[in-house]
Amino acid sequence: MRIKYIALFLLSLIITSCCGTISTAKKTYTITETTPLKSNWNFNSKEWLLKKDTLIGKGGPMHWGVIESKKKLPENYEIDLKVNMTKESLFEIMLNIDKEQYIRTYLYRIDQNIVIGRGVYKKGSDEYEKRGGPTLSKKTMQLENNKWYDVKIKVQHNQLFFSVNNETFLECSLEKSNLSLQGKLGFLTNGEAKIIDLTIKNIE
């Protein structure tokens, strides 16, 4: 009987480790200084690093710094984080990356907007047409360097909700906007961005 219980326990561990999503119904993904970054993310170590409990991204206007999860996001999920754009003007949460397509949810300091858009991401290319994409909706918000912002994203039943500081909100239908319904997660910066308190939770 004891052997049977041990076998069931080991099987559950194998199933959990082989799960194809970055978080599960029973496990919320968080990032801390003890998190092995390379086991969960694809990135260039010159562009992204984890220092204590802070994920730091470094890019430039001509070469955006990108980090991409190895596993897909769940079908329905919430992402919470705090971000500080310490240099330059763009911080982007890349949602549902599928091949070269993704959903752009970003803070843009130059235009003083938060934005939902359709994105294209061609790995290894800095050509203008092979990164970024058109805006679908935007809302004015005062954005500054060296200031922390609370970002919340929720995707539920193919509806996307995006808010900053619980005061500026955007919403859209993934299907009506012809956006990726599932895929991986990424972060992008054209300068330097710091992320803390990142959690990714599976919801129903």
Side-chain angles (χ1 to χ4, degrees):
M1 186 66 73
R2 177 181 255 175
I3 293 173
K4 183 179 178 181
Y5 283 126
I6 292 171
L8 286 171
F9 175 71
L10 290 173
L11 180 62
S12 67
L13 283 178
I14 291 168
I15 290 170
T16 302
S17 66
C18 295
C19 175
T21 58
I22 196 168
S23 66
T24 67
K26 294 183 178 179
K27 185 176 180 182
T28 299
Y29 178 85
T30 60
I31 192 161
T32 66
E33 61 181 312
T34 57
T35 300
L37 205 61
K38 289 184 179 180
S39 65
N40 292 305
W41 301 85
N42 290 313
F43 63 100
N44 181 332
S45 59
K46 293 181 180 179
E47 295 176 7
W48 286 88
L49 61 103
L50 184 63
K51 191 173 182 179
K52 293 187 176 179
D53 61 350
T54 305
L55 184 62
I56 303 171
K58 297 181 180 182
M62 300 305 295
H63 178 77
W64 295 350
V66 176
I67 184 170
E68 179 185 338
S69 66
K70 291 182 177 179
K71 293 183 178 182
K72 289 184 177 181
L73 287 160
E75 184 177 352
N76 299 301
Y77 56 85
E78 281 184 354
I79 299 171
D80 289 278
L81 59 91
K82 291 183 174 69
V83 63
N84 186 340
M85 296 183 290
T86 51
K87 293 180 183 177
E88 295 300 336
S89 57
L90 174 69
F91 171 72
E92 180 170 293
I93 304 104
M94 307 166 74
L95 302 175
N96 296 359
I97 302 169
D98 182 21
K99 297 175 183 174
E100 294 179 0
Q101 307 294 316
Y102 71 98
I103 304 167
R104 304 186 76 196
T105 48
Y106 62 98
L107 288 67
Y108 192 39
R109 187 180 54 77
I110 290 177
D111 284 350
Q112 296 288 292
N113 288 318
I114 67 168
V115 181
I116 294 175
R118 188 178 293 110
V120 174
Y121 167 51
K122 178 85 170 177
K123 292 182 184 178
S125 175
D126 289 323
E127 294 178 51
Y128 185 76
E129 291 81 8
K130 297 186 179 169
R131 59 182 192 177
T135 295
L136 299 176
S137 61
K138 64 182 179 180
K139 190 164 284 188
T140 300
M141 180 175 181
Q142 184 174 346
L143 298 166
E144 304 171 23
N145 288 123
N146 297 304
K147 184 174 180 179
W148 288 98
Y149 295 94
D150 290 303
V151 176
K152 180 183 285 290
I153 288 168
K154 181 178 178 181
V155 173
Q156 190 170 33
H157 308 308
N158 293 329
Q159 196 73 13
L160 168 63
F161 305 88
F162 174 32
S163 70
V164 179
N165 289 350
N166 288 316
E167 62 183 38
T168 306
F169 303 87
L170 287 174
E171 180 180 352
C172 79
S173 165
L174 303 190
E175 289 181 316
K176 290 179 181 178
S177 301
N178 194 28
L179 294 169
S180 302
L181 298 180
Q182 276 196 281
K184 298 177 182 179
L185 171 68
F187 299 111
L188 179 156
T189 177
N190 72 347
E192 181 181 85
K194 296 181 178 180
I195 300 170
I196 59 171
D197 299 342
L198 169 66
T199 62
I200 304 161
K201 182 168 65 173
N202 186 326
I203 59 174
E204 293 302 323

